[in-house]
């Protein structure tokens, strides 16, 4: 069908069924709530399926000296002492990860996944702006579920070949690359810039909720064999893909509504105006069946063109180091907790996995706070850089005082999670959506998924490097790992320096302009009265 004469694609099957049962369509606002919920669930599934490898690290490579063990925090069986954790898990580990260099092999598994994820992101972003996002996201989720589960199948088939586990992680990484550009593009299609930071900060809690869900799912079945820790999260994302296929309306145009936030349109119409426009468009389509241009008729931009959008490169490089820090915690925090005495005692592998979820609880708060502050100040770069600078002393405190007691460990862990995940969440959501609808783009162009892919793809290269370096540095001591993390946070903040100065200058100009208006306003009233 010729470009420019496309008609609306059919609504997702689940929505079409609901409309037939209800006898009428949803409102524009109802669709936006549905999109928020479904994309939240979708990316929760993505992150949940990435978590098992961090949970089973200490099972695959259990080499540590367990000195004193006790039930240090009696909250049911959530944090249990080591000797109570009797299960089918072999205390000898799993070849080839339990021998010499096993820790490094675990790091190589992580970097293989993240390297493929990073490289696949650039391709996935362009495809996301060219193809149907709903189908693209569905394929990515189902493919991810299959290969995450296949990694766990190696346990039941008694596979010990390193290449098998490496290959499963690499293919899973490619499928996982479909997720982030797609969900951010969908949200950008439905929501404008007004309060975008706060909305996306709350919505971005799916990252931490996914990490928590994945940790709890993997840890809950670990005693039955580490393979189940991959199969259950794999099934979880597989089912999530079916949900997306049935119910996700990726574009307003595809369910009969005009898109008020197309690329290049930075206007902020009132919600009531949008609702009225949507109802008018719906009435026209139903009564006259007038063909309208569909979402597929908009032109997708290339990678080079997207890189030229102001701010894309600085934020992409900042995210490289921000994700280096965040993903090191994602993949290695449970292992670190199981290897480190807290209050003079060690926790079990299961307990370490459950305890690490509190880092993500802090991350949820961090994403919301960063989004709110960036909206309030209208300063994305200042907010992100400030959080990264504050993360440096918080990580230093966590390293040296986190082992004093469980209470102090939890408090400092949550603070670190807040400061580390805050800018990471802000850049990958609100910043990406802002730049993907930048005023420099033509109104018929789509760059949401492409810009998101460039920024997050570059960040994911850092996410691959962090766990890889940790695999080597942890053998020399955890002080070296934390030094790497603090240097990474410092560089991430410095990379935004130019944008920070620009935003400070803009804020000062706005304040001067507002002050001038307040001074001129009262004096101009008598003059206007005399002229009348």
């Amino acid at each position: 069908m010729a470009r420019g004469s496309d008609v609306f694609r059919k609504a997702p099957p689940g929505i079409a069924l609901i409309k037939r049962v209800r006898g009428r369509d949803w409102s524009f606002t109802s669709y936006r709530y549905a999109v928020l919920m479904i994309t939240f669930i979708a990316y929760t599934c993505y992150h949940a399926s990435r978590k098992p490898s961090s949970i089973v690290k200490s099972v695959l490579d259990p080499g540590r000296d367990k000195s004193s063990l006790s039930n240090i925090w009696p909250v049911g069986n959530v944090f249990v002492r080591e000797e109570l954790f009797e299960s089918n898990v072999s205390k000898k580990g799993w070849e080839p990860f339990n021998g010499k260099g096993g820790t490094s092999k675990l790091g190589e598994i992580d970097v293989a996944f993240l390297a493929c994820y990073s490289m696949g992101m650039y391709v996935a972003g362009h495809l996301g702006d060219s193809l149907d996002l709903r189908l693209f996201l569905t394929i990515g989720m189902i493919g991810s579920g299959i290969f995450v589960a296949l990694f766990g199948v190696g346990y039941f088939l008694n596979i010990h070949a390193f290449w098998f586990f490496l290959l499963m992680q690499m293919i899973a990484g490619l499928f996982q690359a479909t997720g982030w550009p797609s969900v951010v593009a969908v949200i950008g299609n439905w929501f404008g810039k007004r309060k975008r930071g706060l909305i996306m900060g709350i919505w971005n809690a799916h990252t931490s909720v996914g990490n928590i869900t994945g940790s709890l799912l993997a840890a809950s079945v670990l005693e039955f064999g580490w393979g189940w820790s991959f199969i259950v999260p794999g099934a979880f994302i597989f089912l999530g893909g079916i949900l997306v296929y049935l119910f996700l309306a990726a574009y307003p145009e595809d369910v009969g509504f005009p898109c008020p936030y197309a690329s290049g349109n930075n206007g902020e119409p009132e919600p009531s105006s949008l609702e009225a426009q949507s109802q008018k468009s719906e009435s026209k389509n139903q009564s006259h069946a007038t063909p309208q241009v569909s979402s597929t008729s908009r032109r997708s931009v290339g990678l080079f063109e997207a890189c030229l959008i102001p701010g894309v490169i600085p934020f992409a490089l900042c995210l490289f180091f921000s994700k280096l820090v965040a993903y090191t915690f994602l993949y290695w925090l449970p292992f670190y907790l199981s290897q480190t005495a807290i209050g003079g005692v060690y926790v079990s592998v299961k307990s370490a996995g459950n305890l690490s979820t509190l880092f993500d609880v802090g991350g949820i708060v961090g994403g919301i706070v960063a989004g709110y502050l960036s909206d309030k100040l209208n300063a994305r770069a200042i907010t992100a850089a400030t959080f990264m600078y504050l993360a440096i002393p918080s990580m230093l405190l966590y390293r040296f005082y986190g082992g004093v007691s469980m209470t102090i460990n939890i408090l400092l862990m949550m603070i670190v999670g807040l400061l580390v995940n805050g800018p990471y969440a802000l850049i990958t959501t609100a910043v990406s959506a802002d730049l993907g609808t930048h005023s420099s783009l033509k109104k018929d162009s789509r760059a949401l998924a492409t810009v998101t892919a460039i920024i997050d793809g570059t960040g994911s290269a850092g996410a691959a490097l962090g766990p890889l370096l940790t695999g080597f540095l942890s053998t020399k001591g955890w002080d070296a790992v934390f030094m790497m993390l603090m240097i990474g946070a410092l560089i991430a903040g410095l990379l935004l320096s130019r944008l920070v100065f620009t935003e400070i200058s803009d804020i000062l100009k706005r304040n001067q302009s507002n002050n001038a208006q307040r001074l001129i306003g009262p004096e101009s009233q008598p003059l206007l009265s005399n002229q009348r």
Side-chain angles (χ1 to χ4, degrees), residues 439-477:
S439 57
S440 63
L441 293 166
K442 295 179 181 179
K443 290 188 178 181
D444 65 342
S445 63
R446 290 191 301 183
L448 274 167
T450 304
V451 168
T452 301
I454 292 171
I455 292 176
D456 202 48
T458 304
S460 297
L465 181 62
L468 176 66
L469 292 176
T470 302
F472 293 103
L473 292 176
S474 62
T475 61
K476 303 180 182 298

mmCIF file of all heavy atoms in Angstrom, residues 439-477:
data_model
loop_
_atom_site.group_PDB
_atom_site.id
_atom_site.type_symbol
_atom_site.label_atom_id
_atom_site.label_comp_id
_atom_site.label_asym_id
_atom_site.label_seq_id
_atom_site.Cartn_x
_atom_site.Cartn_y
_atom_site.Cartn_z
ATOM 1 N N SER A 439 12.652 19.336 18.411
ATOM 2 C CA SER A 439 12.116 20.278 17.428
ATOM 3 C C SER A 439 12.911 20.296 16.125
ATOM 4 O O SER A 439 12.417 20.772 15.106
ATOM 5 C CB SER A 439 12.096 21.693 18.020
ATOM 6 O OG SER A 439 13.398 22.081 18.433
ATOM 7 N N SER A 440 14.138 19.757 16.140
ATOM 8 C CA SER A 440 14.946 19.731 14.921
ATOM 9 C C SER A 440 14.465 18.681 13.934
ATOM 10 O O SER A 440 14.878 18.680 12.772
ATOM 11 C CB SER A 440 16.416 19.471 15.270
ATOM 12 O OG SER A 440 16.574 18.190 15.872
ATOM 13 N N LEU A 441 13.591 17.779 14.391
ATOM 14 C CA LEU A 441 13.072 16.743 13.499
ATOM 15 C C LEU A 441 11.889 17.272 12.706
ATOM 16 O O LEU A 441 11.127 18.113 13.159
ATOM 17 C CB LEU A 441 12.624 15.523 14.312
ATOM 18 C CG LEU A 441 13.727 14.748 15.021
ATOM 19 C CD1 LEU A 441 13.109 13.797 16.031
ATOM 20 C CD2 LEU A 441 14.571 13.982 14.022
ATOM 21 N N LYS A 442 11.715 16.715 11.504
ATOM 22 C CA LYS A 442 10.541 17.048 10.712
ATOM 23 C C LYS A 442 9.323 16.377 11.322
ATOM 24 O O LYS A 442 9.415 15.348 11.966
ATOM 25 C CB LYS A 442 10.726 16.571 9.263
ATOM 26 C CG LYS A 442 11.861 17.282 8.536
ATOM 27 C CD LYS A 442 12.003 16.757 7.115
ATOM 28 C CE LYS A 442 13.157 17.454 6.383
ATOM 29 N NZ LYS A 442 13.326 16.936 5.016
ATOM 30 N N LYS A 443 8.159 16.955 11.093
ATOM 31 C CA LYS A 443 6.950 16.460 11.731
ATOM 32 C C LYS A 443 6.543 15.077 11.253
ATOM 33 O O LYS A 443 5.778 14.389 11.924
ATOM 34 C CB LYS A 443 5.798 17.440 11.509
ATOM 35 C CG LYS A 443 5.968 18.747 12.274
ATOM 36 C CD LYS A 443 4.736 19.611 12.179
ATOM 37 C CE LYS A 443 4.910 20.885 13.003
ATOM 38 N NZ LYS A 443 3.717 21.738 12.950
ATOM 39 N N ASP A 444 7.034 14.657 10.080
ATOM 40 C CA ASP A 444 6.644 13.341 9.573
ATOM 41 C C ASP A 444 7.683 12.280 9.892
ATOM 42 O O ASP A 444 7.634 11.173 9.381
ATOM 43 C CB ASP A 444 6.418 13.393 8.057
ATOM 44 C CG ASP A 444 7.713 13.704 7.290
ATOM 45 O OD1 ASP A 444 8.656 14.205 7.934
ATOM 46 O OD2 ASP A 444 7.764 13.447 6.078
ATOM 47 N N SER A 445 8.642 12.623 10.744
ATOM 48 C CA SER A 445 9.721 11.676 11.043
ATOM 49 C C SER A 445 9.533 11.046 12.407
ATOM 50 O O SER A 445 8.942 11.636 13.309
ATOM 51 C CB SER A 445 11.084 12.382 10.980
ATOM 52 O OG SER A 445 11.168 13.379 11.965
ATOM 53 N N ARG A 446 10.052 9.822 12.554
ATOM 54 C CA ARG A 446 9.996 9.117 13.822
ATOM 55 C C ARG A 446 11.418 8.805 14.267
ATOM 56 O O ARG A 446 12.190 8.206 13.537
ATOM 57 C CB ARG A 446 9.208 7.805 13.684
ATOM 58 C CG ARG A 446 7.737 8.005 13.485
ATOM 59 C CD ARG A 446 6.991 6.702 13.623
ATOM 60 N NE ARG A 446 7.444 5.703 12.664
ATOM 61 C CZ ARG A 446 6.898 4.499 12.540
ATOM 62 N NH1 ARG A 446 5.908 4.153 13.324
ATOM 63 N NH2 ARG A 446 7.348 3.649 11.651
ATOM 64 N N ALA A 447 11.755 9.204 15.478
ATOM 65 C CA ALA A 447 13.105 8.959 15.978
ATOM 66 C C ALA A 447 13.100 8.458 17.408
ATOM 67 O O ALA A 447 14.157 8.293 17.997
ATOM 68 C CB ALA A 447 13.940 10.241 15.879
ATOM 69 N N LEU A 448 11.928 8.212 17.986
ATOM 70 C CA LEU A 448 11.857 7.817 19.390
ATOM 71 C C LEU A 448 12.656 6.555 19.664
ATOM 72 O O LEU A 448 13.501 6.511 20.549
ATOM 73 C CB LEU A 448 10.390 7.626 19.796
ATOM 74 C CG LEU A 448 9.651 8.890 20.247
ATOM 75 C CD1 LEU A 448 8.164 8.639 20.307
ATOM 76 C CD2 LEU A 448 10.173 9.345 21.590
ATOM 77 N N ALA A 449 12.366 5.486 18.912
ATOM 78 C CA ALA A 449 13.065 4.223 19.151
ATOM 79 C C ALA A 449 14.530 4.323 18.761
ATOM 80 O O ALA A 449 15.401 3.747 19.411
ATOM 81 C CB ALA A 449 12.376 3.087 18.387
ATOM 82 N N THR A 450 14.826 5.067 17.689
ATOM 83 C CA THR A 450 16.213 5.184 17.225
ATOM 84 C C THR A 450 17.064 5.937 18.235
ATOM 85 O O THR A 450 18.172 5.503 18.587
ATOM 86 C CB THR A 450 16.259 5.900 15.860
ATOM 87 O OG1 THR A 450 15.437 5.192 14.924
ATOM 88 C CG2 THR A 450 17.684 5.951 15.325
ATOM 89 N N VAL A 451 16.579 7.083 18.712
ATOM 90 C CA VAL A 451 17.323 7.857 19.711
ATOM 91 C C VAL A 451 17.480 7.060 20.999
ATOM 92 O O VAL A 451 18.555 7.029 21.612
ATOM 93 C CB VAL A 451 16.618 9.201 19.984
ATOM 94 C CG1 VAL A 451 17.197 9.873 21.223
ATOM 95 C CG2 VAL A 451 16.754 10.121 18.783
ATOM 96 N N THR A 452 16.407 6.401 21.424
ATOM 97 C CA THR A 452 16.481 5.570 22.624
ATOM 98 C C THR A 452 17.527 4.479 22.455
ATOM 99 O O THR A 452 18.275 4.171 23.386
ATOM 100 C CB THR A 452 15.113 4.933 22.916
ATOM 101 O OG1 THR A 452 14.147 5.964 23.086
ATOM 102 C CG2 THR A 452 15.159 4.089 24.181
ATOM 103 N N ALA A 453 17.584 3.888 21.255
ATOM 104 C CA ALA A 453 18.551 2.822 20.995
ATOM 105 C C ALA A 453 19.981 3.338 21.026
ATOM 106 O O ALA A 453 20.884 2.674 21.545
ATOM 107 C CB ALA A 453 18.258 2.176 19.641
ATOM 108 N N ILE A 454 20.211 4.521 20.465
ATOM 109 C CA ILE A 454 21.566 5.089 20.477
ATOM 110 C C ILE A 454 22.018 5.351 21.911
ATOM 111 O O ILE A 454 23.135 4.969 22.308
ATOM 112 C CB ILE A 454 21.604 6.396 19.661
ATOM 113 C CG1 ILE A 454 21.392 6.099 18.174
ATOM 114 C CG2 ILE A 454 22.931 7.121 19.863
ATOM 115 C CD1 ILE A 454 21.208 7.339 17.327
ATOM 116 N N ILE A 455 21.154 5.985 22.692
ATOM 117 C CA ILE A 455 21.518 6.318 24.067
ATOM 118 C C ILE A 455 21.666 5.059 24.908
ATOM 119 O O ILE A 455 22.683 4.855 25.587
ATOM 120 C CB ILE A 455 20.463 7.262 24.675
ATOM 121 C CG1 ILE A 455 20.520 8.627 23.982
ATOM 122 C CG2 ILE A 455 20.689 7.442 26.180
ATOM 123 C CD1 ILE A 455 19.464 9.609 24.446
ATOM 124 N N ASP A 456 20.662 4.188 24.867
ATOM 125 C CA ASP A 456 20.719 2.997 25.715
ATOM 126 C C ASP A 456 21.682 1.957 25.170
ATOM 127 O O ASP A 456 22.264 1.186 25.934
ATOM 128 C CB ASP A 456 19.322 2.390 25.864
ATOM 129 C CG ASP A 456 19.209 1.529 27.113
ATOM 130 O OD1 ASP A 456 19.634 1.992 28.181
ATOM 131 O OD2 ASP A 456 18.726 0.392 27.011
ATOM 132 N N GLY A 457 21.866 1.930 23.833
ATOM 133 C CA GLY A 457 22.853 1.008 23.271
ATOM 134 C C GLY A 457 24.261 1.360 23.703
ATOM 135 O O GLY A 457 25.059 0.489 24.063
ATOM 136 N N THR A 458 24.568 2.656 23.680
ATOM 137 C CA THR A 458 25.876 3.107 24.168
ATOM 138 C C THR A 458 26.007 2.827 25.662
ATOM 139 O O THR A 458 27.057 2.366 26.133
ATOM 140 C CB THR A 458 26.049 4.612 23.899
ATOM 141 O OG1 THR A 458 25.872 4.873 22.510
ATOM 142 C CG2 THR A 458 27.436 5.083 24.330
ATOM 143 N N GLY A 459 24.931 3.084 26.396
ATOM 144 C CA GLY A 459 24.949 2.780 27.825
ATOM 145 C C GLY A 459 25.145 1.309 28.098
ATOM 146 O O GLY A 459 25.838 0.924 29.052
ATOM 147 N N SER A 460 24.562 0.465 27.256
ATOM 148 C CA SER A 460 24.672 -0.975 27.465
ATOM 149 C C SER A 460 26.081 -1.496 27.213
ATOM 150 O O SER A 460 26.459 -2.539 27.737
ATOM 151 C CB SER A 460 23.672 -1.705 26.563
ATOM 152 O OG SER A 460 22.349 -1.355 26.910
ATOM 153 N N ALA A 461 26.838 -0.767 26.394
ATOM 154 C CA ALA A 461 28.257 -1.136 26.242
ATOM 155 C C ALA A 461 28.975 -0.965 27.581
ATOM 156 O O ALA A 461 29.814 -1.794 27.965
ATOM 157 C CB ALA A 461 28.910 -0.275 25.167
ATOM 158 N N GLY A 462 28.630 0.108 28.290
ATOM 159 C CA GLY A 462 29.169 0.284 29.641
ATOM 160 C C GLY A 462 28.650 -0.766 30.588
ATOM 161 O O GLY A 462 29.371 -1.245 31.478
ATOM 162 N N ALA A 463 27.377 -1.141 30.415
ATOM 163 C CA ALA A 463 26.798 -2.194 31.246
ATOM 164 C C ALA A 463 27.508 -3.522 31.032
ATOM 165 O O ALA A 463 27.581 -4.350 31.949
ATOM 166 C CB ALA A 463 25.306 -2.342 30.935
ATOM 167 N N ALA A 464 28.020 -3.745 29.834
ATOM 168 C CA ALA A 464 28.780 -4.967 29.565
ATOM 169 C C ALA A 464 30.179 -4.891 30.168
ATOM 170 O O ALA A 464 30.702 -5.877 30.698
ATOM 171 C CB ALA A 464 28.874 -5.197 28.056
ATOM 172 N N LEU A 465 30.776 -3.703 30.096
ATOM 173 C CA LEU A 465 32.148 -3.548 30.591
ATOM 174 C C LEU A 465 32.234 -3.660 32.105
ATOM 175 O O LEU A 465 33.169 -4.270 32.639
ATOM 176 C CB LEU A 465 32.700 -2.190 30.130
ATOM 177 C CG LEU A 465 34.137 -1.868 30.544
ATOM 178 C CD1 LEU A 465 35.110 -2.869 29.940
ATOM 179 C CD2 LEU A 465 34.501 -0.436 30.115
ATOM 180 N N GLY A 466 31.258 -3.094 32.815
ATOM 181 C CA GLY A 466 31.300 -3.102 34.278
ATOM 182 C C GLY A 466 31.360 -4.493 34.875
ATOM 183 O O GLY A 466 32.279 -4.816 35.643
ATOM 184 N N PRO A 467 30.379 -5.379 34.551
ATOM 185 C CA PRO A 467 30.436 -6.741 35.084
ATOM 186 C C PRO A 467 31.676 -7.514 34.648
ATOM 187 O O PRO A 467 32.196 -8.341 35.399
ATOM 188 C CB PRO A 467 29.162 -7.380 34.522
ATOM 189 C CG PRO A 467 28.224 -6.232 34.328
ATOM 190 C CD PRO A 467 29.103 -5.104 33.877
ATOM 191 N N LEU A 468 32.159 -7.246 33.420
ATOM 192 C CA LEU A 468 33.370 -7.935 32.955
ATOM 193 C C LEU A 468 34.566 -7.541 33.816
ATOM 194 O O LEU A 468 35.325 -8.405 34.284
ATOM 195 C CB LEU A 468 33.636 -7.589 31.492
ATOM 196 C CG LEU A 468 34.937 -8.168 30.916
ATOM 197 C CD1 LEU A 468 34.871 -9.685 30.860
ATOM 198 C CD2 LEU A 468 35.220 -7.603 29.524
ATOM 199 N N LEU A 469 34.758 -6.247 34.029
ATOM 200 C CA LEU A 469 35.873 -5.797 34.863
ATOM 201 C C LEU A 469 35.731 -6.294 36.298
ATOM 202 O O LEU A 469 36.731 -6.638 36.945
ATOM 203 C CB LEU A 469 35.946 -4.265 34.849
ATOM 204 C CG LEU A 469 36.334 -3.607 33.529
ATOM 205 C CD1 LEU A 469 36.267 -2.089 33.649
ATOM 206 C CD2 LEU A 469 37.727 -4.049 33.101
ATOM 207 N N THR A 470 34.482 -6.361 36.770
ATOM 208 C CA THR A 470 34.255 -6.840 38.139
ATOM 209 C C THR A 470 34.676 -8.282 38.297
ATOM 210 O O THR A 470 35.203 -8.687 39.346
ATOM 211 C CB THR A 470 32.768 -6.690 38.507
ATOM 212 O OG1 THR A 470 32.397 -5.311 38.378
ATOM 213 C CG2 THR A 470 32.508 -7.145 39.937
ATOM 214 N N GLY A 471 34.455 -9.092 37.243
ATOM 215 C CA GLY A 471 34.868 -10.489 37.299
ATOM 216 C C GLY A 471 36.349 -10.640 37.555
ATOM 217 O O GLY A 471 36.789 -11.571 38.255
ATOM 218 N N PHE A 472 37.151 -9.720 37.005
ATOM 219 C CA PHE A 472 38.601 -9.768 37.216
ATOM 220 C C PHE A 472 39.015 -9.046 38.500
ATOM 221 O O PHE A 472 39.839 -9.539 39.272
ATOM 222 C CB PHE A 472 39.326 -9.152 36.013
ATOM 223 C CG PHE A 472 39.176 -9.936 34.744
ATOM 224 C CD1 PHE A 472 38.309 -9.521 33.755
ATOM 225 C CD2 PHE A 472 39.895 -11.106 34.536
ATOM 226 C CE1 PHE A 472 38.161 -10.245 32.585
ATOM 227 C CE2 PHE A 472 39.759 -11.838 33.371
ATOM 228 C CZ PHE A 472 38.890 -11.415 32.381
ATOM 229 N N LEU A 473 38.426 -7.870 38.720
ATOM 230 C CA LEU A 473 38.833 -7.063 39.873
ATOM 231 C C LEU A 473 38.435 -7.693 41.201
ATOM 232 O O LEU A 473 39.123 -7.506 42.210
ATOM 233 C CB LEU A 473 38.226 -5.659 39.764
ATOM 234 C CG LEU A 473 38.755 -4.774 38.635
ATOM 235 C CD1 LEU A 473 37.990 -3.453 38.592
ATOM 236 C CD2 LEU A 473 40.254 -4.515 38.789
ATOM 237 N N SER A 474 37.322 -8.438 41.220
ATOM 238 C CA SER A 474 36.874 -9.040 42.476
ATOM 239 C C SER A 474 37.870 -10.064 43.003
ATOM 240 O O SER A 474 37.910 -10.331 44.205
ATOM 241 C CB SER A 474 35.503 -9.688 42.291
ATOM 242 O OG SER A 474 35.559 -10.734 41.335
ATOM 243 N N THR A 475 38.680 -10.638 42.122
ATOM 244 C CA THR A 475 39.705 -11.588 42.566
ATOM 245 C C THR A 475 40.844 -10.878 43.295
ATOM 246 O O THR A 475 41.596 -11.505 44.026
ATOM 247 C CB THR A 475 40.278 -12.369 41.363
ATOM 248 O OG1 THR A 475 40.880 -11.447 40.439
ATOM 249 C CG2 THR A 475 39.172 -13.132 40.648
ATOM 250 N N LYS A 476 40.963 -9.573 43.090
ATOM 251 C CA LYS A 476 42.003 -8.781 43.756
ATOM 252 C C LYS A 476 41.471 -8.087 45.001
ATOM 253 O O LYS A 476 42.236 -7.470 45.746
ATOM 254 C CB LYS A 476 42.570 -7.739 42.785
ATOM 255 C CG LYS A 476 43.136 -8.330 41.507
ATOM 256 C CD LYS A 476 43.680 -7.234 40.603
ATOM 257 C CE LYS A 476 44.212 -7.823 39.299
ATOM 258 N NZ LYS A 476 45.336 -8.756 39.536
ATOM 259 N N GLY A 477 40.161 -8.171 45.205
ATOM 260 C CA GLY A 477 39.552 -7.542 46.372
ATOM 261 C C GLY A 477 38.441 -6.594 45.965
ATOM 262 O O GLY A 477 38.494 -5.977 44.898
#
